[in-house]
Amino acid sequence: SSPGAKLKAPPVTRYNLNNVTITNTPVENRENVLVLTPMARFYQEHWDNLLQLTYPHELITLGFILPKNKEGNAAYAELDKQITKTQRYGPEKDRFKSIIILRQDFDPPLISQDEAERHKMQNQKPRRAAMAKARNSLLFTTLGPDTSWVLWLDADVIETPPSLIQDLAFHNKPLIAPNCFQKFYNSEKKKMDERPYDFNNWQDSPTAQKLGESLGADDILLEGYKDMPTYRTLMAYMYEDGGDVHYEIPLDGVGGTALLVKADVHRDGAMFPPFSFYHLIETEGFAKMARRLGWQATGLPNYKVYHYNE
Amino acid sequence: SSPGAKLKAPPVTRYNLNNVTITNTPVENRENVLVLTPMARFYQEHWDNLLQLTYPHELITLGFILPKNKEGNAAYAELDKQITKTQRYGPEKDRFKSIIILRQDFDPPLISQDEAERHKMQNQKPRRAAMAKARNSLLFTTLGPDTSWVLWLDADVIETPPSLIQDLAFHNKPLIAPNCFQKFYNSEKKKMDERPYDFNNWQDSPTAQKLGESLGADDILLEGYKDMPTYRTLMAYMYEDGGDVHYEIPLDGVGGTALLVKADVHRDGAMFPPFSFYHLIETEGFAKMARRLGWQATGLPNYKVYHYNE
Ligand SMILES: Nc1nc2c(ncn2[C@@H]2O[C@H](COP(=O)(O)OP(=O)(O)O)[C@@H](O)[C@H]2O)c(=O)[nH]1
Ligand SMILES: Nc1nc2c(ncn2[C@@H]2O[C@H](COP(=O)(O)OP(=O)(O)O)[C@@H](O)[C@H]2O)c(=O)[nH]1
Ligand SMILES: [Mn+2]
Ligand SMILES: [Mn+2]
């Protein structure tokens, strides 16, 4: 550097991971939450729902990853507009601690984002492998030394209780998933209705285990397909009207629509396998990997969040 | 906030992962390198060796993780002293971009750090699982969106060529390992001598494959133990005096003494399995996981770095 230039001491940061608490009273303990969202499409309702979360926004970092294609570009433009609105011009209490937006550096598989097309069985393995890599990229590049919790929240989750983070953290579980439903117009009943949406939150079955053993090492089991009956117990169907919202069940597979994870689970190495891991992939494989690391997943059948209906 | 307080727009950072290049001319392209070191003991020679690296220090971030025990505390104190010396009082060209020090938040297994004790076979699985978790904690909390390369460098690697990073990156491989040797006093020859040290860089063998099949799902294969002959081809023994330092071989297992990894390999999800993964664990399991993600490891048998001799 030029002589006389002021010598600047570069940053040295010391973190004692023990001092980063992860408790069931995270607000009181000022615990940082990282909300991670892979986003192929932008939904205004999703952003509005983020804004209404009552967890102190100054403790929330948002992380997004968007694909580098036409649809991703469109979503990026809309997201960016809302971010500027909130972070620069919005009331201070709305503003998040920080926001990180990543653009994916690999090609998403050439599959339409329409619900019918993306749910076709033969499209699942490449699609979910790509999703797993997107989630891993987002996770590996945004998780910091001071993160206590990671909330995975899909971009098309458009309605949650405002106290979502506090409610889930209250259970003090390494991984915990609410039940993801979808509101729709029931044309028979001629009124709005609800149906279960996320079938990746499940308890394993002997049938699925046996089916797994019959598969090749690289093959994966899929949930929610008639051609592959697994007889797993799906949390989606365990909702009871008027049931205790705090009722807990153990889970063997989890979905990614909404999922609160203690940062230490990820720090131990739990990621989203983009390959067959015990015949599971992506979020379902993540639950299995967490289990291998000694962390058990929990589900809340009666605690509902809502997925967009296309 | 108090009325009239100046509203500060919180940071929003946008990263296009495509713009973070990973090339064989990283200096020219100003690529950021993250040097990651799990450290149970501090060696002055290791620090001195870091200082003499010719890769521009303003592009290097150092990340350390130290156990929370007596030995770790002692190492921390010494490391901290050297960091202050360099970052605050040293010549500007010596200073690194930034330094992150983590203290491990889990108990290291109760095993002495002495070479003889830590290499005992029955101590390997818990020891290497703990090492894997330490590496994952370090990786997950320090990898940033602008990291191009990760250099894994053990704390007891005390001598490398100054151009280590450029030399390894020049090969433009997803994972590349030099050959780790150890200098020692040969009392027969009555002079200093060298012997191979890191036996985790290997090419697989049919014997090891068959041995793996005979093991329980949670059991691991270990390398370098007489009781468990694997007949793998060890890079440690492939060094040829006067041979081309750029001579490349494919590897199926890698060690962690020195290993340059493209950040995208980690971003895809490659981590250090703390559990049996294809009967492999830690760095060896990492090579296998990278392979499952489509990334092949490379070794440089004639490119030497040196491990401390206790
Ligand atoms: N970054 C990224 N996100 C994606 C991609 N495909 C889908 N997503 C997002 O990932 C989440 C889950 O995908 P989605 O298609 O809704 O899954 P489904 O509801 O289970 O059918 C949603 O938030 C999507 O917006 C992709 O290729 N890249
Ligand atoms: N953070 C952390 N680092 C460790 C621990 N045990 C060893 N290390 C470091 O991890 C690296 C590899 O361990 P080492 O015992 O040298 O392995 P070996 O040379 O293969 O026998 C070295 O840099 C050690 O200083 C531990 O419990 N925690
Ligand atoms: Mn969805
Ligand atoms: Mn060592």
Side-chain angles (χ1 to χ4, degrees), chain B residues 139-178:
Chain B
L139 173 65
F140 278 66
T141 53
T142 60
L143 188 75
D146 58 358
T147 311
S148 292
W149 301 89
V150 178
L151 177 67
W152 290 93
L153 199 64
D154 274 355
D156 44 18
V157 170
I158 51 168
E159 186 188 335
T160 73
S163 52
L164 177 72
I165 295 171
Q166 297 92 317
D167 293 346
L168 297 180
F170 174 74
H171 288 260
N172 206 11
K173 298 289 182 190
L175 303 76
I176 192 162

Side-chain angles (χ1 to χ4, degrees), chain A residues 38-40 65 104 113 118-119 127 131 154-156 197 307:
Chain A
M39 180 179 279
I65 187 163
Q104 220 164 321
Q113 283 296 326
R118 70 177 197 252
H119 286 178
R127 186 177 101 84
M131 280 304 308
D154 275 355
D156 43 19
Y197 185 82
H307 188 277

Side-chain angles (χ1 to χ4, degrees), chain B residues 28-219:
Chain B
E28 288 77 351
N29 293 322
R30 311 258 329 141
E31 291 170 4
N32 289 301
V33 180
L34 178 63
V35 180
L36 294 183
T37 302
M39 179 178 280
R41 291 179 175 178
F42 177 84
Y43 294 98
Q44 185 61 44
E45 299 91 327
H46 177 81
W47 185 259
D48 294 341
N49 188 69
L50 284 177
L51 284 184
Q52 57 100 47
L53 291 178
T54 55
Y55 198 85
H57 288 203
E58 78 263 20
L59 297 175
I60 295 179
T61 292
L62 303 178
F64 299 93
I65 187 163
L66 295 88
K68 279 242 75 159
N69 56 15
K70 215 180 136 198
E71 210 174 23
N73 293 346
Y76 180 80
E78 292 187 82
L79 173 64
D80 208 43
K81 214 165 79 183
Q82 294 306 317
I83 286 177
T84 303
K85 204 169 142 189
T86 301
Q87 296 294 92
R88 186 166 303 170
Y89 305 109
E92 203 164 355
K93 72 154 189 32
D94 278 5
R95 302 183 189 183
F96 299 99
K97 181 181 183 180
S98 63
I99 300 180
I100 302 163
I101 314 167
L102 302 179
R103 300 305 302 271
Q104 221 163 318
D105 67 343
F106 47 89
D107 299 325
L110 294 169
I111 298 165
S112 148
Q113 283 296 327
D114 294 323
E115 189 171 324
E117 187 60 23
R118 69 174 196 253
H119 285 177
K120 273 187 191 159
M121 200 160 158
Q122 73 272 27
N123 287 337
Q124 285 299 300
K125 204 172 144 184
R127 188 178 99 84
R128 298 209 47 200
M131 281 305 308
K133 287 188 187 178
R135 289 189 195 278
N136 289 336
S137 282
L138 185 55
L139 173 65
F140 278 66
T141 53
T142 60
L143 188 75
D146 58 358
T147 311
S148 292
W149 301 89
V150 178
L151 177 67
W152 290 93
L153 199 64
D154 274 355
D156 44 18
V157 170
I158 51 168
E159 186 188 335
T160 73
S163 52
L164 177 72
I165 295 171
Q166 297 92 317
D167 293 346
L168 297 180
F170 174 74
H171 288 260
N172 206 11
K173 298 289 182 190
L175 303 76
I176 192 162
N179 212 349
C180 184
F181 272 58
Q182 187 175 49
K183 292 183 178 170
F184 71 105
Y185 183 74
N186 189 325
S187 49
E188 278 170 34
K189 296 192 193 165
K190 294 213 163 39
K191 59 169 189 170
M192 286 308 289
D193 202 352
E194 292 184 6
R195 61 189 166 209
Y197 184 83
D198 193 338
F199 297 124
N200 292 333
N201 293 306
W202 45 255
Q203 299 177 323
D204 214 351
S205 72
T207 307
Q209 281 297 313
K210 242 176 241 154
L211 205 56
E213 282 162 30
S214 75
L215 294 178
D218 286 352
D219 293 337

Side-chain angles (χ1 to χ4, degrees), chain A residues 63-261:
Chain A
F64 299 93
I65 187 163
L66 295 89
K68 279 244 74 155
N69 55 15
K70 214 181 139 198
E71 211 174 22
N73 292 345
Y76 180 80
E78 292 187 81
L79 174 65
D80 208 45
K81 215 165 79 185
Q82 294 306 318
I83 287 177
T84 303
K85 204 169 140 188
T86 301
Q87 296 294 93
R88 187 166 303 170
Y89 304 110
E92 203 165 353
K93 72 154 190 30
D94 277 4
R95 301 182 189 182
F96 298 99
K97 180 180 186 182
S98 63
I99 300 181
I100 302 163
I101 314 167
L102 302 179
R103 301 304 303 270
Q104 220 164 321
D105 69 342
F106 46 89
D107 298 324
L110 294 170
I111 298 166
S112 148
Q113 283 296 326
D114 295 322
E115 191 171 322
E117 186 61 24
R118 70 177 197 252
H119 286 178
K120 274 188 191 157
M121 200 161 157
Q122 73 271 26
N123 287 338
Q124 286 299 301
K125 205 173 142 183
R127 186 177 101 84
R128 299 209 47 199
M131 280 304 308
K133 287 189 187 178
R135 289 189 195 278
N136 289 335
S137 281
L138 185 55
L139 173 65
F140 279 65
T141 52
T142 60
L143 189 77
D146 58 0
T147 311
S148 292
W149 301 89
V150 177
L151 175 67
W152 290 95
L153 198 63
D154 275 355
D156 43 19
V157 171
I158 51 166
E159 186 188 335
T160 73
S163 53
L164 177 73
I165 295 171
Q166 296 93 317
D167 294 345
L168 296 180
F170 175 75
H171 288 261
N172 206 10
K173 299 290 181 189
L175 304 75
I176 192 162
N179 212 350
C180 185
F181 273 59
Q182 188 174 47
K183 292 182 178 170
F184 71 106
Y185 182 74
N186 189 325
S187 48
E188 277 169 34
K189 296 189 191 166
K190 291 212 164 40
K191 59 170 189 171
M192 286 308 289
D193 200 353
E194 293 184 5
R195 61 188 167 211
Y197 185 82
D198 194 338
F199 297 124
N200 291 333
N201 294 305
W202 45 255
Q203 299 177 324
D204 214 352
S205 72
T207 308
Q209 282 297 313
K210 241 174 242 156
L211 204 56
E213 282 163 28
S214 76
L215 294 178
D218 286 353
D219 293 336
I220 56 168
L221 285 166
L222 293 167
E223 192 46 65
Y225 291 86
K226 287 204 194 73
D227 293 350
M228 196 191 260
T230 61
Y231 302 101
R232 289 170 179 153
T233 306
L234 306 186
M235 180 162 80
Y237 297 131
M238 293 174 78
Y239 169 75
E240 279 192 75
D241 210 24
D244 178 7
V245 292
H246 288 302
Y247 173 58
E248 299 176 353
I249 61 166
L251 291 176
D252 298 304
V254 299
T257 46
L259 179 68
L260 187 73
V261 182

